[in-house]
Amino acid sequence: MSSPEAALWWARSRAEGPLRVPSVTRTPAGMLRLVERDGEHCWLLTRPPDDVTPAMLRELRMQVLPVEFPNETRRVLAAALRCCWTDIQASPWPGQPATMREVLDVVDQLTPGRGEEVLHRFGMGAFRRLNASRWLDIDDDVQRVCLGPRVATWPDQDLPALRELCRELPPPRPDREPDR
């Protein structure tokens, strides 16, 4: 692939975020290629340089997390990681699917005493933000949550802390609706 072609891919990724393309697409220089479970499609993500700062991420339009309701958004991402990263010795992406109910149940256990309506409202907003930024892949029709391609960009040195976080978070309760 030529440099001008790679530059176009980078520009498109900056404008649109992670790109879902057919698996036969060649990987541009400097981009990370993540093949989906079915093998028919893959994601192309810009690979930030090592030791990148938050200011540089903002400049490259590669923010770590959406900032609207950051605490709730981070709780939902952590709960989804707990539910979807079933083999914590392996890479978190692609993980295994979980239900939205399971993820919200973990959030409910992290913030007890909230009513179901509040949990649902904040949870659905966080799901939308995390889906739009490709941290999660949400299928609303079947209420399924999968880890998005951006989780594959976590540096290896951060994985031990993420593993410990997953060990500390409660698992979803079997066949239980969130507390009311």
Side-chain angles (χ1 to χ4, degrees):
M1 182 173 290
S2 68
S3 276
E5 286 177 290
L8 288 173
W9 280 105
W10 270 78
R12 184 174 167 208
S13 179
R14 282 188 66 178
E16 299 176 30
L19 304 170
R20 187 171 186 254
V21 296
S23 291
V24 296
T25 305
R26 290 180 35 201
T27 306
M31 295 190 89
L32 182 62
R33 175 191 185 89
L34 303 169
V35 179
E36 290 185 341
R37 281 183 202 84
D38 64 11
E40 293 181 25
H41 291 90
C42 66
W43 290 90
L44 298 177
L45 290 85
T46 52
R47 185 181 306 196
D50 292 335
D51 301 327
V52 69
T53 64
M56 177 64 80
L57 286 175
R58 281 191 300 277
E59 184 178 317
L60 294 173
R61 296 186 195 159
M62 298 171 68
Q63 284 188 299
V64 177
L65 270 180
V67 293
E68 187 180 359
F69 298 107
N71 293 340
E72 201 60 43
T73 303
R74 287 184 182 108
R75 278 187 203 101
V76 170
L77 179 58
L81 191 63
R82 172 64 173 96
C83 294
C84 297
W85 192 13
T86 55
D87 180 4
I88 62 172
Q89 296 311 313
S91 171
W93 196 86
Q96 296 297 317
T99 65
M100 293 171 96
R101 186 201 63 78
E102 290 170 327
V103 173
L104 288 178
D105 181 63
V106 173
V107 174
D108 184 46
Q109 293 178 71
L110 295 174
T111 55
R114 285 188 175 178
E116 183 179 353
E117 182 181 320
V118 172
L119 177 67
H120 185 265
R121 186 175 65 242
F122 278 118
M124 291 299 114
F127 280 139
R128 280 192 303 278
R129 287 186 294 280
L130 291 165
N131 185 56
S133 60
R134 297 297 184 202
W135 283 100
L136 295 179
D137 183 18
I138 309 288
D139 185 339
D140 286 317
D141 294 336
V142 294
Q143 300 286 294
R144 188 196 75 207
V145 177
C146 293
L147 297 175
R150 281 201 191 259
V151 301
T153 64
W154 271 319
D156 288 341
Q157 63 264 25
D158 290 350
L159 293 182
L162 292 170
R163 286 182 178 105
E164 188 59 32
L165 171 72
C166 284
R167 285 186 194 101
E168 295 291 324
L169 291 175
R173 297 169 282 203
D175 301 321
R176 185 160 188 266
E177 291 295 317
D179 286 339
R180 296 175 193 268

